[in-house]
Amino acid sequence: MKIGQDKLDQLCAEGVISSEQLECIVQRERDAKHSFLQRVLILSLSLLSAGCFVWGICLLLEQYWEQLERLGQIGALAVSLLLAWGGFFLLQKKQPVIAQGFALAGGGLWCACVLFINDRYMLNWQSSEFILLIFAGLALIPFVSRQILMIGVVAALSFMLVTITFEDNYIPFYGTVQMGKELAFLVPMLVALLWWLLAEHWRESNSRFRSYAWVGVPAFLVYLVVVQYYALYDNYLNDVSSMFPYCTVAAVGVALLFAFLRPSSPPPKTWRLLAVSTGLMLGTWYLGSGLEAVTIGVAVCAMYASVLMYCGVTGGRRSWVNYGVFMAVETMSGLMSNILDSLTQSGVVMLLIGLALLPVVGLVEKGRRTLVKAAVKNQQEQSAPQQ
């Protein structure tokens, strides 16, 4: 809980804390703020430095590219890769943030190398094959060295790879196969869920993987947005018997992921409730089309938002509470979009709706703050026995 300056002055005036303690608290807050700003500045400069490094190499290669023979072009790319990763290893201990910028530059240059091979030798790779090669060259790097930013690149590449593969019905280096629209939705969502669960599991770790927990935030937001879109706006009608295998895969996949990647802090009942509701959320895509499907989809989305907020409070996870509030707001928006679809062309009506929603936003934010405080309190109570 953060205490404002006015409250600190009041505590000092009441004699709860001394003037020396007040000065120490204020100085510590200033140092923490300075340290945070310094980290942000170093990170920004590191990314800018890596971008300038890659851009400078690209400009040099573009200037002299046609004058080089094939071996010279390959050598130039190889030297560029060596410079990027050499800078990473030299600065890894002294300047770890700047070193990660060089690592990102090395990843970008690896992408350039794959592009060069494809164009130079006219291999005509499919987009999924191209992403697979980039992914294969970078996938293990964050796991063998501390790469906080690279883990996000690897997660994004894996999601892109499965999405393109199943949407194009083309398996890299194998060929065209028959894969339905069901798998094109289901597999990428399971991949996004996998990264979120990995991040939740790493959050409890004391190793370098703890710093990778940030990747769960974009992964789970992507999961929520896409699943809710299919639940409310793009329900897919199909024969029930043909949907059974995909429903089974979704249910079994979610159950296995939640079973093997369970973090230690949430209570077992809370975790099982979250697992079951997540499986139901994936199943909303198979509802069909029409008003009934939309109604059920809205009900399931609202249920899932409530479960996320409840699990966030009981499990001491503020992020789950925020996910639940986000889900509730988006569900409300989807419901209004379906109800008021015929009124969207009226500017006056939309202005009135916007004004009417302002107090709702205030109530939602007030409720979110209350739930976050309850989650923090439960987290402190759960961690107290361990300490």
Side-chain angles (χ1 to χ4, degrees):
M1 181 177 67
K2 192 172 182 178
I3 303 177
Q5 184 65 41
D6 295 339
K7 186 66 174 178
L8 289 173
D9 293 337
Q10 182 183 352
L11 292 174
C12 183
E14 294 174 355
V16 179
I17 59 175
S18 65
S19 57
E20 290 81 6
Q21 289 174 326
L22 174 61
E23 187 177 348
C24 290
I25 292 172
V26 172
Q27 186 62 40
R28 183 171 181 178
E29 287 294 320
R30 287 175 181 170
D31 292 342
K33 184 178 180 181
H34 175 72
S35 176
F36 172 75
L37 292 174
Q38 187 179 26
R39 290 197 302 270
V40 172
L41 179 61
I42 291 175
L43 177 61
S44 302
L45 290 176
S46 301
L47 295 176
L48 179 61
S49 173
C52 291
F53 180 82
V54 174
W55 187 246
I57 289 177
C58 291
L59 290 177
L60 285 173
L61 290 177
E62 182 183 9
Q63 186 176 359
Y64 299 104
W65 190 253
E66 297 299 331
Q67 302 174 19
L68 296 174
E69 299 292 336
R70 184 175 62 182
L71 290 178
Q73 293 173 346
I74 295 174
L77 288 173
V79 170
S80 301
L81 270 175
L82 288 175
L83 287 174
W85 287 108
F88 165 74
F89 285 110
L90 286 175
L91 299 173
Q92 188 176 13
K93 293 183 179 179
K94 295 181 180 179
Q95 299 288 342
V97 177
I98 298 177
Q100 288 191 51
F102 275 97
L104 286 176
L109 288 168
W110 169 247
C111 176
C113 290
V114 176
L115 269 173
F116 165 75
I117 293 172
N118 185 33
D119 292 339
R120 183 70 185 186
Y121 295 97
M122 293 184 232
L123 299 176
N124 297 321
W125 286 330
Q126 297 285 335
S127 56
S128 56
E129 293 172 339
F130 175 71
I131 294 177
L132 176 62
L133 289 173
I134 299 175
F135 175 76
L138 302 178
L140 294 179
I141 291 175
F143 297 96
V144 297
S145 65
R146 189 170 179 269
Q147 291 285 330
I148 300 174
L149 299 177
M150 187 67 80
I151 192 71
V153 175
V154 172
L157 284 173
S158 66
F159 185 79
M160 289 171 58
L161 176 62
V162 296
T163 301
I164 293 176
T165 296
F166 285 93
E167 282 186 352
D168 293 347
N169 284 348
Y170 186 89
I171 297 178
F173 301 106
Y174 179 78
T176 304
V177 294
Q178 290 297 321
M179 294 182 290
K181 187 179 178 183
E182 300 84 0
L183 283 177
F185 161 77
L186 178 61
V187 177
M189 289 304 97
L190 289 177
V191 170
L193 193 61
L194 169 65
W195 281 109
W196 176 66
L197 290 173
L198 277 173
E200 289 293 317
H201 186 73
W202 289 336
R203 187 178 181 273
E204 307 293 324
S205 172
N206 292 323
S207 66
R208 67 169 178 266
F209 294 107
R210 181 181 178 85
S211 57
Y212 295 169
W214 74 268
V215 78
V217 176
F220 199 58
L221 286 177
V222 167
Y223 173 81
L224 290 180
V225 169
V226 176
V227 172
Q228 189 182 53
Y229 169 77
Y230 279 109
L232 300 181
Y233 303 106
D234 191 28
N235 299 108
Y236 187 62
L237 184 63
N238 208 329
D239 183 63
V240 176
S241 61
S242 67
M243 303 306 298
F244 178 75
Y246 302 107
C247 294
T248 304
V249 171
V252 172
V254 171
L256 289 176
L257 288 176
F258 271 81
F260 286 110
L261 296 174
R262 178 182 178 274
S264 58
S265 60
K269 291 182 180 179
T270 299
W271 190 249
R272 285 196 289 268
L273 175 62
L274 188 58
V276 172
S277 60
T278 303
L280 290 175
M281 192 65 206
L282 268 180
T284 56
W285 191 62
Y286 307 121
L287 290 173
S289 59
L291 181 60
E292 274 186 35
V294 173
T295 304
I296 297 173
V298 168
V300 174
C301 289
M303 175 274 300
Y304 194 50
S306 303
V307 169
L308 282 171
M309 288 186 277
Y310 171 77
C311 292
V313 172
T314 56
R317 292 293 179 85
R318 286 174 287 181
S319 59
W320 297 359
V321 173
N322 292 329
Y323 292 141
V325 172
F326 171 80
M327 190 76 179
V329 171
E330 290 300 308
T331 302
M332 196 186 325
S333 301
L335 178 61
M336 292 187 63
S337 175
N338 281 287
I339 293 175
L340 304 174
D341 187 48
S342 60
L343 301 176
T344 54
Q345 302 302 319
S346 173
V348 176
V349 172
M350 295 308 295
L351 284 174
L352 291 175
I353 292 171
L355 290 173
L357 282 177
L358 285 177
V360 176
V361 172
L363 290 173
V364 168
E365 176 60 17
K366 185 177 180 180
R368 187 192 71 83
R369 290 178 181 271
T370 303
L371 291 174
V372 166
K373 289 179 181 178
V376 172
K377 183 180 178 181
N378 284 338
Q379 185 182 26
Q380 293 172 348
E381 291 176 353
Q382 291 170 11
S383 59
Q386 298 176 358
Q387 294 175 355

